[in-house]
DNA sequence: GATTCCTTTATGTCTGGACATAATAATTAT
DNA sequence: ATAATTATTATGTCCAGACATAAAGGAATC
């Protein structure tokens, strides 16, 4: 059944967002301009203040607007657009390309935390850690080399875990809660060992991601992930 | 004046978020578990459904929860935590380290879009583009080399712009609206020219960011940003 | 057995009103 | 003049209730 009178459609917060974005784009509201307050906008758009508020709040979260109490809302001159990177599991990343995923454990050892790791994770001298080296394949070609360190004190059960078939990343994600993550990307030259594992020429550039994870001030794990040739980390927003 | 009876504090949506997170961490609600519905939670926490809704909505946005109508809300087993990268202006990035920022224009030319760019931006054959090469310094050491292409059809005023003192990034941000961005990171070997500009050894690894910008299906600009030795892109969440 | 239709349920959103809070402006006391 | 106090204002949050909507399950029909 079709509506005879389509009229009286309600204004949604998404409508408001669109309208506001349009006005910013067409410079009705230029950068650094103070825009009308929520009450006025609500009247103009024919909706409640809560609806306007949600629209504006989200635009502020996205970095488009800058809001302050009493002062009002202004168009951000330098939209420090925050790029959202979805960091998937290696398995998902590989399978998303249609390739077959395979995992292999290269080495596994329990040892005293080396000094550089102690410094990085703020561990005490006698801390014991589990050190794993793993390889992740896409269609049998090396895709990612994982150099993983787990703080045994924070995750006692890790000593009993079997990492021969399930990667440490997947195991940790399902077993260990965490509150804080530091992630950093860089470009590095492959050393001999890494070149070997990833089938690269020595000193070829490697895209590296390093991730450190805490559970409330308590370091859980550090991982250095080195990606094979031609890897790109991409996002759209 | 101090309150004699502190009692009857209201439950805020932030309180709810904290409580829910705690329960997920201590495995009261294990991964993949279905958690109570909003009405029940509102009753339990002593607040309205809207308050619970906001808390849950935000946790879902953060990738912690997975919500579906009728089905309910469940704890995400593989928290595909989305890392938010704040991509700052080069100037801000340099000045944040306490270093002095300096900008230099290396070259500027108007030309027909080369084939690789036409393919990338989906431009027609006779499209004209402005091609800029710029260098950004931190304390007089090269920090970033910018290889910038601007679609003149989308930004006619760019031909008159003077890029000798202000970088194209800052100019574009303040002058040209955009709706979509594609950003990608990779590791590459420096070619001779790039090594020259960034004071690197030939074929040394370079961290590269490529950004393409559109205004509603209309390509605006493409930039390849190459960073100097030791650059790291870091985020915490 | 398969398809269509209806019911149920949990989330998604809007309303209009209320009070809280940060930040500025105006006023008063020092 | 300067400092302390008091409005004023726009955003931030909460509430109770209402209707919309997606999705699942069951019932009636083909």
């Amino acid at each position: 059944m079709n509506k005879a009178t389509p009229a009286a459609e309600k204004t949604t917060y998404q409508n408001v967002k669109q309208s506001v974005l349009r006005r910013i784009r067409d410079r009705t509201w230029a950068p650094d301009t103070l825009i009308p307050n929520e009450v006025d906008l609500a009247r103009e758009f024919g909706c409640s203040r809560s609806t306007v508020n949600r629209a504006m709040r989200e635009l502020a979260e996205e970095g488009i607007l800058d809001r302050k109490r009493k002062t009002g809302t202004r168009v951000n001159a330098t939209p420090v657009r925050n790029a959202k990177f979805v960091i998937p599991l290696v398995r998902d990343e590989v399978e998303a390309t249609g390739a077959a995923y395979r995992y292999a454990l290269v080495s596994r050892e329990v040892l005293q935390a080396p000094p550089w790791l102690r410094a990085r994770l703020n561990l005490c001298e006698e801390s014991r850690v589990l050190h794993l080296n793993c390889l992740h394949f896409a269609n049998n070609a090396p895709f990612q080399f994982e150099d993983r360190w787990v703080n045994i004190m924070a995750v006692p059960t890790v000593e009993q875990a079997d990492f021969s078939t399930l990667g440490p990343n997947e195991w940790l994600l399902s077993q260990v809660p965490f509150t804080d993550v530091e992630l950093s990307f860089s470009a590095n030259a492959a050393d001999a060992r890494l070149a070997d594992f990833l089938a690269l020429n020595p000193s070829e550039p490697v895209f590296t991601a390093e991730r450190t994870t805490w559970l409330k001030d308590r370091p859980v794990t550090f991982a250095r992930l080195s990606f094979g040739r031609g890897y790109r980390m991409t996002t759209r927003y």
Side-chain angles (χ1 to χ4, degrees), chain A:
Chain A
M1 186 192 101
N2 258 332
K3 278 180 185 170
T5 37
E9 292 280 304
K10 259 187 195 168
T11 317
T12 70
Y13 78 95
Q14 310 231 31
N15 295 339
V16 177
K17 277 181 81 170
Q18 285 309 312
S19 303
V20 171
L21 278 174
R22 204 174 318 116
R23 290 187 194 183
I24 292 175
R25 276 204 297 274
D26 69 17
R27 309 217 130 221
T28 306
W29 293 332
D32 266 329
T33 312
L34 208 58
I35 78 181
N37 70 40
E38 295 183 347
V39 178
D40 291 349
L41 286 177
R43 190 170 21 240
E44 192 203 323
F45 287 120
C47 64
S48 76
R49 182 167 86 88
S50 333
T51 303
V52 174
N53 180 274
R54 174 151 181 201
M56 307 298 260
R57 182 175 6 111
E58 292 195 358
L59 288 171
E61 257 165 36
E62 290 163 28
I64 312 285
L65 297 177
D66 203 31
R67 321 193 73 197
K68 249 191 285 187
R69 278 169 163 157
K70 161 77 184 182
T71 315
T73 302
R74 62 177 67 241
V75 180
N76 203 329
T78 58
V80 188
R81 306 279 299 248
N82 9 5
K84 251 195 190 171
F85 277 85
V86 180
I87 316 288
L89 285 174
V90 212
R91 158 174 270 126
D92 297 338
E93 198 170 4
V94 167
E95 286 175 348
T97 68
Y101 171 75
R102 189 164 67 80
Y103 161 80
L105 178 62
V106 173
S107 73
R108 172 204 176 109
E109 52 176 345
V110 173
L111 67 172
Q112 300 270 98
W116 65 268
L117 189 67
R118 288 215 315 270
R120 194 184 267 269
L121 298 185
N122 200 22
L123 295 171
C124 57
E125 206 163 330
E126 65 281 4
S127 285
R128 289 165 63 244
V129 291
L130 176 68
H131 180 210
L132 300 164
N133 280 157
C134 322
L135 262 173
H136 303 268
F137 295 87
N139 280 342
N140 282 324
F143 177 80
Q144 182 195 96
F145 179 77
E146 176 175 359
D147 191 15
R148 165 79 60 175
W149 302 78
V150 186
N151 178 13
I152 295 183
M153 202 143 67
V155 195
T157 51
V158 81
E159 276 198 274
Q160 274 72 53
D162 171 31
F163 290 111
S164 58
T165 56
L166 184 71
N169 201 357
E170 286 178 75
W171 186 88
L172 285 164
L173 265 178
S174 68
Q175 297 291 318
V176 186
F178 56 90
T179 53
D180 295 274
V181 179
E182 186 178 297
L183 181 61
S184 89
F185 298 141
S186 57
N188 299 96
D191 59 21
R193 179 164 141 280
L194 192 57
D196 223 21
F197 280 125
L198 291 176
L200 303 172
N201 305 318
S203 83
E204 197 173 331
V206 172
F207 187 86
T208 308
E210 292 183 344
R211 179 159 33 185
T212 314
T213 307
W214 291 265
L215 173 59
K216 294 185 187 177
D217 304 328
R218 199 164 154 157
V220 174
T221 178
F222 167 76
R224 179 179 289 116
L225 311 171
S226 305
F227 291 84
R229 188 178 294 143
Y231 179 78
R232 302 176 73 82
M233 169 143 285
T234 304
T235 187
R236 252 189 111 107
Y237 57 90

